[in-house]
Amino acid sequence: MPSIGTDALRECVREVVLRLAPDRPETATSEQLLSEDLGYDSLALAELAFALEEIFRLPPLPGEETADIHSVADVELLVTGLAERTGTTFEEEQLRKSIAHLSEQHAQAGEQDAT
């Protein structure tokens, strides 16, 4: 199966950011700010970092690289840059399955928190 291109990878990253956003809009754009537009606080940002590491098979995200992350575009650039540096390739179908699984886990956690 061919590996995913950069544009599709950025789209997958944007989808993860959207699905975990505390203030979830209908769609996510690269220009949206994590805190102001999507409601991310420090705990939600930590959850996002762990999810990105898991889904995109990234090494732990270094604090010096994440300190300047403010927008969806910043997250996209971080993930694509780390993937390029580490030589990690992705298959789109597998990424989509991982993202769907993440959504299921996130929905279940939300239901447990509500009870």
Side-chain angles (χ1 to χ4, degrees):
M1 206 175 269
S3 63
I4 192 170
T6 302
D7 289 342
L9 179 58
R10 290 174 68 111
E11 181 183 319
C12 288
V13 171
R14 195 167 34 252
E15 188 173 344
V16 171
V17 172
L18 172 67
R19 289 181 184 229
L20 292 180
D23 297 339
R24 191 171 168 184
E26 290 292 317
T27 59
T29 65
S30 296
E31 295 77 27
Q32 287 173 310
L33 299 175
L34 297 174
S35 296
E36 292 85 348
D37 298 328
L38 301 175
Y40 276 92
D41 59 16
S42 58
L43 179 59
L45 287 170
E47 291 174 353
L48 175 61
F50 290 129
L52 292 170
E53 290 169 6
E54 181 179 335
I55 291 172
F56 297 101
R57 302 183 319 267
L58 300 173
L61 299 175
E64 61 273 4
E65 289 193 38
T66 59
D68 292 328
I69 302 283
H70 302 288
S71 69
V72 176
D74 293 337
V75 178
E76 294 171 2
L77 289 172
L78 176 67
V79 172
T80 57
L82 285 171
E84 286 176 13
R85 281 192 302 231
T86 61
T88 305
T89 58
F90 306 97
E91 294 179 5
E92 188 168 3
E93 182 179 338
Q94 184 58 43
L95 276 180
R96 298 281 179 203
K97 286 179 183 177
S98 295
I99 293 168
H101 182 69
L102 169 73
S103 292
E104 291 170 12
Q105 289 177 322
H106 193 63
Q108 290 173 353
E111 289 171 8
Q112 290 175 353
D113 291 343
T115 56

